[in-house]
Amino acid sequence: PLTFILTGIPGLPTSSYGMGVPLCCLYLLMLLGNCTLLQMIRTDHSLHTPMYYFLSMLAMADLGLSLSTLPTMLAVFWFEFTSLRLEVCIVQMYFIHTFSAIESGVLVAMAFDRFVAICYPLRYASVLTSSLTMKVGGVIFMRGICVVLPVAILIEKMPFCRSPVLSHSFCLHQDMLRWVCGDVRVNSVYGLTAVILTKGLDSLTILLSYVMIIRAILNIVSQEARAKAFSTCISHLCAVLVFYIPLIGLSVIHRFGNHLPPLTHTLLADAYLLVPPVLNPLVYSWKTKRIRRRILTLLCRSR
């Protein structure tokens, strides 16, 4: 059966405890942060609002994205296991891109939440009901599942060259396409269309939302109220930047950065998949008073 060869960090041995230990620490921090967020939102009834429902969806997407890469990352850096069968690689690729599309959709929903809260504060409760929030979450998850599914089906039918060596310690669609021996035009066109329909439209929607949010904030007369309104968006803005900057950089270098050293590709891919799930719980815990207060309360009780 056809197998793909996974690679670690260029310039380091395949099995490197110097990379394996930090990776384990990052994954543990990700699991601890996101699971703590989910547990707090589930048990604290004061957090049962649309904003925190969307935050719990973001935590679930982060968990899914990280756990999709966990088996092969640890296998490469701890056990020197670099071979991966085609079917397993396609399954991993599907889950990585699906959870990435879901996270992008959740960031759009959170931008809409901030837009309604700042531009129409008196109508917030009537517009963003719990029922609508759950329906939006269902649409986001179904969109991610359905849009990425044809990508996996198309690439499974393609003929691959023997002993393909991937650029990362996990499987990505663009990386796998490089080793197809047949015509990849259909795969490339649909892959690009899927990216445009998900992350492309999502980024434009978020940008449009913040244009209207900034206009509404500038119309506020009080300087203190203006600063307070903008501070409610900082956590979401950080989450958007942390997610989209590595994603855009990775997409650009996969298409135009063949002359760049392999280390650049590897670091950007790792940042795209590892940094948002680790940083998002930290950012929201630091900037959101309710969550910060809840964490302090739990710490005091534990003492």
Side-chain angles (χ1 to χ4, degrees), residues 96-127:
I96 288 174
H97 290 292
T98 296
F99 282 113
S100 178
I102 290 171
E103 181 158 351
S104 179
V106 173
L107 291 173
V108 174
M110 297 175 83
F112 179 70
D113 172 84
R114 291 300 84 206
F115 165 73
V116 176
I118 291 173
C119 299
Y120 303 100
L122 299 179
R123 298 173 58 187
Y124 180 81
S126 61
V127 173

Side-chain angles (χ1 to χ4, degrees), residues 11-292:
L12 292 178
T14 305
S15 179
S16 171
Y17 293 107
M19 282 301 302
V21 172
L23 277 176
C24 282
C25 293
L26 281 176
Y27 277 113
L28 287 173
L29 186 60
M30 178 277 302
L31 287 170
L32 179 63
N34 286 289
C35 290
T36 302
L37 264 183
L38 289 171
Q39 178 66 13
M40 282 193 301
I41 293 170
R42 188 182 70 86
T43 56
D44 191 341
H45 291 284
S46 66
L47 301 179
H48 290 183
T49 62
M51 173 184 172
Y52 295 103
Y53 287 145
F54 288 135
L55 181 56
S56 65
M57 294 176 199
L58 184 67
M60 286 189 285
D62 281 336
L63 282 170
L65 190 61
S66 294
L67 293 177
S68 299
T69 62
L70 175 64
T72 54
M73 291 278 277
L74 295 186
V76 169
F77 288 107
W78 279 101
F79 304 109
E80 218 169 333
F81 184 81
T82 58
S83 298
L84 200 63
R85 287 185 60 172
L86 172 65
E87 295 82 4
V88 180
C89 197
I90 290 174
V91 169
Q92 185 185 49
M93 178 211 70
Y94 173 74
F95 280 110
I96 288 174
H97 290 292
T98 296
F99 282 113
S100 178
I102 290 171
E103 181 158 351
S104 179
V106 173
L107 291 173
V108 174
M110 297 175 83
F112 179 70
D113 172 84
R114 291 300 84 206
F115 165 73
V116 176
I118 291 173
C119 299
Y120 303 100
L122 299 179
R123 298 173 58 187
Y124 180 81
S126 61
V127 173
L128 278 173
T129 61
S130 297
S131 174
L132 179 63
T133 304
M134 294 298 106
K135 289 176 183 177
V136 169
V139 169
I140 290 170
F141 275 81
M142 287 306 299
R143 184 193 70 160
I145 291 169
C146 295
V147 168
V148 182
L149 186 59
V151 174
I153 294 172
L154 285 170
I155 202 166
E156 193 270 338
K157 299 179 182 299
M158 301 302 293
F160 285 90
C161 303
R162 283 289 165 185
S163 301
V165 180
L166 300 181
S167 305
H168 314 293
S169 48
F170 41 82
C171 301
L172 293 177
H173 181 246
Q174 307 96 312
D175 204 14
M176 294 173 68
L177 274 187
R178 294 189 303 112
W179 293 99
V180 173
C181 295
D183 188 359
V184 298
R185 282 179 294 181
V186 174
N187 301 66
S188 297
V189 169
Y190 183 81
L192 182 61
T193 304
V195 170
I196 292 172
L197 291 176
T198 53
K199 290 147 192 172
L201 286 178
D202 291 348
S203 57
L204 289 177
T205 305
I206 292 171
L207 179 62
L208 180 61
S209 299
Y210 271 99
V211 168
M212 292 186 284
I213 286 171
I214 291 171
R215 286 180 59 187
I217 290 174
L218 293 177
N219 289 331
I220 299 174
V221 177
S222 170
Q223 188 75 21
E224 184 180 349
R226 192 183 298 174
K228 185 177 180 181
F230 184 74
S231 67
T232 63
C233 302
I234 291 178
S235 298
H236 180 253
L237 275 173
C238 290
V240 169
L241 294 175
V242 162
F243 179 77
Y244 277 103
I245 289 176
L247 171 64
I248 293 170
L250 184 63
S251 300
V252 169
I253 67 168
H254 262 299
R255 295 188 181 277
F256 308 109
N258 293 329
H259 62 284
L260 294 174
L263 182 61
T264 307
H265 295 250
T266 303
L267 292 180
L268 263 178
D270 290 346
Y272 161 56
L273 294 174
L274 289 177
V275 172
V278 172
L279 288 187
N280 284 338
L282 299 177
V283 169
Y284 275 95
S285 301
W286 172 54
K287 290 300 299 179
T288 308
K289 286 184 179 180
R290 286 189 185 183
I291 295 178
R292 191 167 66 241

